[in-house]
Amino acid sequence: MELTTAYMTENCERYIPNPAIPKWNQSYYFNFYDRKAKLGAFIRVGIMENLGETNGFAIFFKDGKPLFTRVNMQLPYTSDRLDPGLEVAGVRMEAIRSLQTCRIRIDLEDFGADLEWDLRFPMGDSIVPSTEGDDAIARELAYIHLEGTCNVTGTVRLRSGEIITIDDSGFRDVSCGPRNWAGVQHYRLAWPIFDNGMACVAVHAITEHGHSYQKILHDGKRWHNIGKVEETITFEDDDLGFRHVHWKVWDEDEKLWEFNGTPLFRWQFPFDTFVMVEQMMEYRLVDGTIGYGMGEGGFRFPWEGNGN
């Protein structure tokens, strides 16, 4: 079986083996934010077959405070995949319609969720072939990294019995390839979804092989490659969390898209000598159009700085 980009993309929600790469990874990631309920979540499952490990987290928050937190970073390996479905630490994920709709369920005594992510348009691959040699992300983190903005609907159940309706937007991604956090010194990213339909995947990573980027943009009609990225990150006093971000991205037609962001919620995910600091952000384009989505930084230890 030849692991071409086309093959991996077509089968990204299914089982794809690669015994040649020790840190071979398949992962499924979801987030959302409902502005009316002021409730959101980050949910991920990563499967590292050749290490015999599965990791996962499900973090829900409301009004800027944690609501449900489950983090398991070194569970036994599972041979199940998103298509047709898998369950990791009580979080059930399943592809209802391949590469279109996914359902996630949690059913515990004191918390529950039943949510669907339905793609607004086909996912785009943010690992864009480079003519400038900045392929360090592909070497260290993923061969494919498909992104899509979604309508997110369903319910969240609290311990009190209250049922909260969710009807807003969120991102999801599917990735396949190596996942070597030790090869990444630092990265920062922005994943906003704006009310005018524009959505952006902008990732700047500093790795053992130099600077590298994931960068695609959807204007509400189609995906665009991003030619250039500039970002200014103001960190909190701990040098980990974002206090304010300012991103400028130019698409392949040299159109400038510029936006700012401030955090609504923050959580940290440890990977031994690496940590991801994940934040839900409120973003604004320079014309005032509002958006929501993830802002994230990753840091390798011993501490090597935050890229500023």
Side-chain angles (χ1 to χ4, degrees):
M1 178 181 60
E2 184 180 2
L3 293 184
T4 63
T5 298
Y7 175 85
M8 289 186 288
T9 299
E10 182 180 352
N11 293 278
C12 60
E13 296 179 334
R14 307 185 185 101
Y15 171 59
I16 301 176
N18 190 341
I21 297 179
K23 293 185 178 181
W24 180 253
N25 172 79
Q26 288 185 258
S27 62
Y28 316 113
Y29 173 83
F30 303 83
N31 70 37
F32 80 89
Y33 183 71
D34 185 297
R35 70 194 75 186
K36 183 177 180 181
K38 296 183 179 180
L39 193 157
F42 310 117
I43 305 169
R44 182 183 186 271
V45 165
I47 305 169
M48 306 189 79
E49 178 177 17
N50 301 328
L51 296 181
E53 296 178 4
T54 302
N55 56 70
F57 55 72
I59 307 297
F60 286 73
F61 61 92
K62 190 178 189 308
D63 298 316
K65 299 293 190 297
L67 193 62
F68 174 82
T69 61
R70 177 161 289 189
V71 181
N72 299 273
M73 306 315 286
Q74 198 174 28
L75 295 171
Y77 171 73
T78 178
S79 60
D80 296 330
R81 296 296 186 269
L82 187 62
D83 186 354
L86 76 164
E87 184 171 326
V88 175
V91 180
R92 174 72 183 173
M93 298 180 174
E94 56 186 320
I96 303 301
R97 289 185 291 164
S98 180
L99 297 176
Q100 177 60 43
T101 308
C102 284
R103 184 183 185 187
I104 296 181
R105 287 173 287 171
I106 301 170
D107 189 11
L108 305 173
E109 181 180 356
D110 57 356
F111 182 83
D114 190 345
L115 299 163
E116 285 193 0
W117 277 254
D118 188 59
L119 284 163
R120 294 177 174 177
F121 36 77
M123 286 188 282
D125 190 356
S126 63
I127 307 292
V128 180
S130 173
T131 59
E132 301 172 0
D134 63 338
D135 60 349
I137 285 181
R139 295 189 197 185
E140 302 289 2
L141 295 182
Y143 291 157
I144 64 166
H145 209 291
L146 308 183
E147 329 282 354
T149 61
C150 301
N151 297 315
V152 183
T153 57
T155 58
V156 171
R157 171 177 53 82
L158 306 184
R159 180 187 296 114
S160 64
E162 179 185 1
I163 303 295
I164 300 173
T165 299
I166 301 301
D167 186 4
D168 212 303
S169 63
F171 252 105
R172 63 164 297 203
D173 75 44
V174 185
S175 68
C176 182
R179 187 54 57 96
N180 179 32
W181 293 117
V184 180
Q185 297 173 11
H186 167 70
Y187 74 84
R188 69 272 298 274
L189 66 79
W191 278 4
I193 305 172
F194 291 98
D195 288 346
N196 63 1
M198 184 275 210
C200 181
V201 175
V203 185
H204 179 187
I206 303 167
T207 79
E208 296 287 355
H209 304 287
H211 291 256
S212 191
Y213 296 86
Q214 293 173 245
K215 46 184 184 178
I216 54 174
L217 179 149
H218 204 286
D219 63 3
K221 296 180 180 178
R222 68 176 181 90
W223 286 109
H224 294 258
N225 291 332
I226 293 175
K228 181 181 176 183
V229 176
E230 292 181 2
E231 80 278 2
T232 302
I233 310 294
T234 303
F235 285 89
E236 299 286 359
D237 292 340
D238 62 5
D239 288 329
L240 292 171
F242 296 163
R243 180 179 296 167
H244 181 268
V245 302
H246 180 197
W247 287 81
K248 298 167 72 174
V249 299
W250 287 262
D251 65 27
E252 74 268 21
D253 298 322
E254 299 186 355
K255 179 178 179 179
L256 170 63
W257 305 78
E258 185 174 357
F259 54 89
N260 296 278
T262 54
L264 300 172
F265 177 75
R266 166 181 165 182
W267 199 261
Q268 294 182 195
F269 301 98
F271 285 94
D272 297 333
T273 59
F274 195 87
V275 66
M276 296 190 302
V277 181
E278 201 150 344
Q279 298 175 129
M280 184 59 68
M281 310 284 289
E282 181 175 280
Y283 291 99
R284 288 186 185 273
L285 290 168
V286 291
D287 66 4
T289 303
I290 197 167
Y292 296 92
M294 185 172 67
E296 184 180 83
F299 310 89
R300 186 172 71 176
F301 306 138
W303 179 252
E304 298 173 275
N306 57 25
N308 279 5

